[in-house]
């Protein structure tokens, strides 16, 4: 269960690194395929090769950056903690944000899981306030449900799923 006093900032589950990597593979592979397609067209129709080679090099560099380096940074720079009166979420690599969510402002709490998160046994907890939705992706399904219940109890939100 979630401790209430003197707890350190919590990190996401280690499996979230794999989720970050797979998301990056899906998105950057489209760029890589486009660069390869241009390279093939340039070869077949005698276009200039330097744009094709440049595009392939840039695509490979971005692939390496977003698949091997960026996920570690995303994982490292995301943390959260739940206090009795408020919740803190710190995130961001380039642009860091530190959000304090007063428990009195929480309207409802949800958990969700998509196909990629489910594959790694993870889920997301979303804290909804009038100002917006704050999402913590990358908790084990059981932890996400416990966090939802705990925040709901602190915010005095009625759980309609049970």
């Amino acid at each position: 269960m979630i401790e209430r006093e003197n707890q350190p900032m919590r990190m996401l589950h280690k499996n979230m690194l794999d989720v970050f990597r797979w998301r990056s593979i899906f998105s950057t592979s489209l760029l890589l395929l486009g660069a390869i397609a241009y390279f093939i067209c340039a070869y077949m129709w005698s276009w200039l090769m330097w744009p094709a080679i440049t595009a392939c090099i840039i695509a490979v560099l971005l692939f390496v950056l977003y698949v091997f380096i960026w996920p570690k940074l995303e994982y490292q720079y995301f943390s959260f903690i739940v206090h009795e009166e408020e919740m803190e979420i710190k995130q961001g690599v380039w642009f860091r944000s530190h959000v304090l969510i007063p428990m009195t402002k929480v309207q409802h709490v949800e958990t969700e899981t998509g196909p990629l998160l489910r594959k790694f046994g993870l889920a997301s907890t979303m804290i909804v306030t009038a100002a917006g939705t704050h999402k913590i992706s990358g908790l084990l399904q059981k932890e996400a449900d416990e966090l939802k219940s705990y925040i709901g109890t602190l915010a005095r939100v009625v759980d309609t799923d049970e």
Side-chain angles (χ1 to χ4, degrees), residues 13-32:
H13 192 271
K14 285 190 261 182
N15 288 352
M16 195 61 187
L17 275 171
D18 294 326
V19 173
F20 287 146
R21 283 194 181 103
W22 278 105
R23 285 180 184 167
S24 296
I25 287 170
F26 292 144
S27 60
T28 58
S29 61
L30 293 176
L31 177 66
L32 189 57

Side-chain angles (χ1 to χ4, degrees), residues 27-45 47-63:
S27 60
T28 58
S29 61
L30 293 176
L31 177 66
L32 189 57
L33 288 175
I36 291 169
Y38 181 83
F39 185 81
I40 291 169
C41 290
Y43 179 77
M44 289 176 57
W45 292 300
W47 295 349
L48 292 174
M49 289 301 280
W50 70 265
I53 293 169
T54 304
C56 286
I57 290 171
I58 290 172
V60 167
L61 289 175
L62 288 175
F63 185 84

Side-chain angles (χ1 to χ4, degrees), residues 20-117:
F20 287 146
R21 283 194 181 103
W22 278 105
R23 285 180 184 167
S24 296
I25 287 170
F26 292 144
S27 60
T28 58
S29 61
L30 293 176
L31 177 66
L32 189 57
L33 288 175
I36 291 169
Y38 181 83
F39 185 81
I40 291 169
C41 290
Y43 179 77
M44 289 176 57
W45 292 300
S46 301
W47 295 349
L48 292 174
M49 289 301 280
W50 70 265
I53 293 169
T54 304
C56 286
I57 290 171
I58 290 172
V60 167
L61 289 175
L62 288 175
F63 185 84
V64 169
L65 173 70
Y66 285 113
V67 172
F68 297 106
I69 298 169
W70 196 260
K72 290 179 184 177
L73 294 174
E74 268 186 300
Y75 178 80
Q76 178 182 350
Y77 287 109
F78 188 97
S79 59
F80 69 97
I81 188 169
V82 180
H83 300 288
E84 298 266 338
E85 300 293 322
E86 64 191 10
M87 179 173 186
E88 292 180 62
I89 301 175
K90 293 181 181 181
Q91 64 185 356
V93 178
W94 294 114
F95 299 98
R96 297 192 181 144
S97 70
H98 183 184
V99 179
L100 292 174
I101 306 165
M103 288 299 170
T104 57
K105 301 297 181 187
V106 173
Q107 293 178 343
H108 68 276
V109 186
E110 304 173 3
T111 56
E112 74 173 13
T113 182
L116 194 54
L117 287 174

